[in-house]
Amino acid sequence: MTKAFLKVILLVSIISFFSSCDKEYDSIGANIIGDNHFITEKYDGASLSIINKKTGPIQTSNLDIYAFGIIENEVFGNTTANFATQVQLASVAPSIDPTLQQTIDSVVVHIPYYTKLVSTNTDGTHTYTLDSIVKGNYNTAKMKLNVYENNYFMRDRDPLSNFTEAQRFYSDQDASFNFLKGITLYENSSFQFSDNEYKIISKSSDGTESTSYLAPGLHVDLDHNFFNTKIFLASSDKLQNNTAFCDWFKGLYFRIEQNQGNCMAMMNFRKGTITVKYHENTSTTDFTKVYKTIVLNLTGNSVGLLKNEYNTNGSTYDNLPSETTDNSRIYLKGGEGSIGIIKLFGTTDLKGYSTSTGLFTNAPNGVPDELDDLRSKNWLINEANISFYIDQTIMNSNVVEPNRLYLYDINNKRPLVDYYNDYTTGYYPNYSKYQHGGIIDKGTSAIATSRGIRYKVRITDYLRKLLKNSDSTNVKLGVAVCQSINTISYGKLKSAPAVNDDNWKSLLQYEKNSYFYPLSSVMNPLGTVIYGNTSDVPDDKKLKLEIYFTKPK
């Protein structure tokens, strides 16, 4: 490769680089002529309205993560989170010959906790801590845990949609599952979330023992007679496939109650297993024992069952109307909770501004609305963000705060463009897309490190597009607590009209979308209180849109 050719490549690269810079500036309506011709300013006077909206009962089926346990919250009341799931054979149609006389040795359900490995000891054991606990001291809290046979049939398809949609299950259905529960498979009045690992002794088919260690989890031995009936005494057609098996054995119902203290963990029940260890005779004439295992997975349909109570805690939140425009404080709560609904630039979006004539053709009396006025300025948007300041007085030191908020497009049931344009990753999944933001800011001082100050969300790309394109819709924005920023699916409100209802069919798509809320918020049991923008809110805490821009002198 000659030096001349390399110079040509370098020259083309430089031209391409500056060309791409020009395109970026062009995309927001301005060309940089020179530094002396432009000034950079901040605009935070944009009108912004926000209302508080309670969700009511909401879809909690087939989530990636479920809350399980009891949480007492001075601001948002007390929440009990139970769980029900179908159970499926890891390998269908197991070969079982009843003449070989199967005897169960153990039936252990194990659902792993989210843990952090502290050390590996010289004897091969391990030390862990739990990082899945969202509230409570797992070393001291004791609760009553019961595992029941589930007799509530969790169908796959919704008959009200002519079986075209998946069946949804909702947060307020605990009473139904409790009413239809079957026999008790496990009972413990002093259950604790434990960080102890489990020593597992396994036997091969010839009886040789081996030792392994299982990371901490919900680990209990279930009723042997029940599983003997459901597996070893079942006819072969009931074990032929998981559709038949789920009809025969409808699953498990995990129910937790108050005892001494309270504690709540986030759990991935779908990683749970039931391991049935048993032995049988080698043949009808040889009574040598052969050791075998059948594994069941906690997969199939599942539902988180939430019960909110407001006895001594959460009375203010409980008495909030289902929707309120009194926005001095906004209560954001996960689970069966509440979100904030934001409208930027007033309530209208007249559009109609002509860059060629400079007129607002659709504006009354030629007077533009706020959005059209900003569009006419052709600002170069450097950054735009919304900061949500926490009311630290209400959120006192006893209240656990969510680590992140999620800002999304309600009209289209999707994240903002800034979300998609952010490829940053974090050590923990919920700290990914940190440039887009929403992660709690606890400041740098020693006093501030334990309490949250604000959540800041960057919406630069969204605002650039909104101001650049007159046909871009000024959508409603939702803000909700966030369990996993990578989860961008949505759950339906129970209050939504049925899909075969004429009321539902008559709705426009954006109206239908308003009945869906982020599942990431549904998974998170925590809440926070942020300042609104009424006159009684300190100016440095007010909810506001901040726009940093460059404009011609």
Side-chain angles (χ1 to χ4, degrees), residues 51-53 55 330-332 337-341 408 410 478-480 517:
I51 64 173
N52 228 146
K53 174 72 174 177
T55 68
I330 305 299
Y331 287 71
L332 306 177
S338 53
I339 67 163
I341 301 176
Y408 66 102
I410 291 178
V479 58
Y517 287 68

Side-chain angles (χ1 to χ4, degrees), residues 47-49 343-350 369-370 474 476:
S47 60
L48 181 154
S49 63
K343 181 69 174 180
L344 301 179
F345 310 118
T347 58
T348 59
D349 185 7
L350 298 177
D369 71 359
E370 183 180 8
N474 185 21
K476 290 181 180 179

Side-chain angles (χ1 to χ4, degrees), residues 249-545:
F249 175 25
K250 295 179 177 60
L252 300 178
Y253 169 46
F254 295 78
R255 182 175 178 82
I256 201 157
E257 299 177 52
Q258 189 87 44
N259 183 1
Q260 176 184 324
N262 63 93
C263 193
M264 182 173 283
M266 305 306 297
M267 297 178 61
N268 186 346
F269 279 87
R270 290 183 175 277
K271 289 188 176 180
T273 59
I274 301 173
T275 302
V276 181
K277 294 184 177 181
Y278 67 100
H279 62 268
E280 64 183 9
N281 297 332
T282 302
S283 70
T284 55
T285 57
D286 184 351
F287 301 124
T288 304
K289 303 304 180 187
V290 179
Y291 294 86
K292 295 185 177 181
T293 298
I294 292 177
V295 176
L296 311 175
N297 295 324
L298 302 193
T299 50
N301 294 317
S302 60
V303 59
L305 304 163
L306 306 175
K307 182 172 64 174
N308 294 327
E309 296 177 296
Y310 309 98
N311 298 325
T312 57
N313 294 330
S315 58
T316 299
Y317 178 73
D318 182 37
N319 291 321
L320 290 176
S322 59
E323 185 171 316
T324 176
T325 56
D326 179 12
N327 55 2
S328 62
R329 304 294 187 276
I330 305 299
Y331 287 71
L332 306 177
K333 182 183 182 300
E336 186 179 313
S338 53
I339 67 163
I341 301 176
I342 299 172
K343 181 69 174 180
L344 301 179
F345 310 118
T347 58
T348 59
D349 185 7
L350 298 177
K351 306 171 186 157
Y353 174 74
S354 171
T355 55
S356 59
T357 65
L359 299 176
F360 294 86
T361 55
N362 294 338
N365 303 317
V367 178
D369 71 359
E370 183 180 8
L371 179 54
D372 280 329
D373 185 41
L374 290 177
R375 282 171 171 163
S376 70
K377 297 180 184 298
N378 289 322
W379 286 346
L380 172 65
I381 306 300
N382 302 316
E383 182 179 342
N385 61 71
I386 300 178
S387 289
F388 302 89
Y389 284 89
I390 300 168
D391 187 326
Q392 293 180 308
T393 301
I394 295 178
M395 295 293 294
N396 61 58
S397 59
N398 295 321
V399 180
V400 180
E401 301 165 300
N403 284 328
R404 194 164 196 171
L405 299 185
Y406 171 55
L407 195 66
Y408 66 102
D409 174 351
I410 291 178
N411 291 40
N412 298 291
K413 203 173 66 175
R414 66 188 181 194
L416 303 184
V417 63
D418 297 81
Y419 176 99
Y420 293 108
N421 291 343
D422 186 352
Y423 298 100
T424 57
T425 57
Y427 182 77
Y428 295 106
N430 201 35
Y431 287 89
S432 298
K433 298 186 180 294
Y434 55 80
Q435 289 183 349
H436 179 39
I439 300 170
I440 194 168
D441 178 3
K442 295 188 176 182
T444 56
S445 68
I447 296 176
T449 52
S450 61
R451 306 304 305 159
I453 298 172
R454 68 171 180 173
Y455 304 87
K456 181 179 178 181
V457 183
R458 178 183 181 272
I459 60 169
T460 308
D461 297 333
Y462 170 75
L463 196 68
R464 284 173 177 170
K465 184 177 179 182
L466 183 62
L467 298 188
K468 166 70 175 176
N469 303 316
S470 61
D471 60 346
S472 292
T473 303
N474 185 21
V475 300
K476 290 181 180 179
L477 304 178
V479 58
V481 302
C482 177
Q483 176 64 32
S484 171
I485 196 64
N486 297 317
T487 300
I488 57 174
S489 50
Y490 295 77
K492 195 175 185 180
L493 296 184
K494 192 174 183 180
S495 61
V499 294
N500 62 347
D501 191 294
D502 289 339
N503 292 330
W504 180 260
K505 294 176 182 178
S506 66
L507 295 176
L508 298 175
Q509 188 58 50
Y510 81 90
E511 293 173 316
K512 293 179 180 179
N513 288 344
S514 68
Y515 285 97
F516 289 83
Y517 287 68
L519 286 179
S520 179
S521 176
V522 175
M523 290 188 288
N524 193 318
L526 301 178
T528 188
V529 182
I530 59 172
Y531 285 102
N533 55 3
T534 53
S535 58
D536 63 318
V537 176
D539 189 64
D540 62 342
K541 304 293 185 184
K542 282 184 177 179
L543 180 66
K544 63 181 68 174
L545 169 65

Side-chain angles (χ1 to χ4, degrees), residues 2-17:
T2 65
K3 291 183 178 180
F5 184 66
L6 289 173
K7 290 180 179 180
V8 170
I9 293 177
L10 179 60
L11 179 60
V12 170
S13 300
I14 294 172
I15 293 172
S16 299
F17 172 77

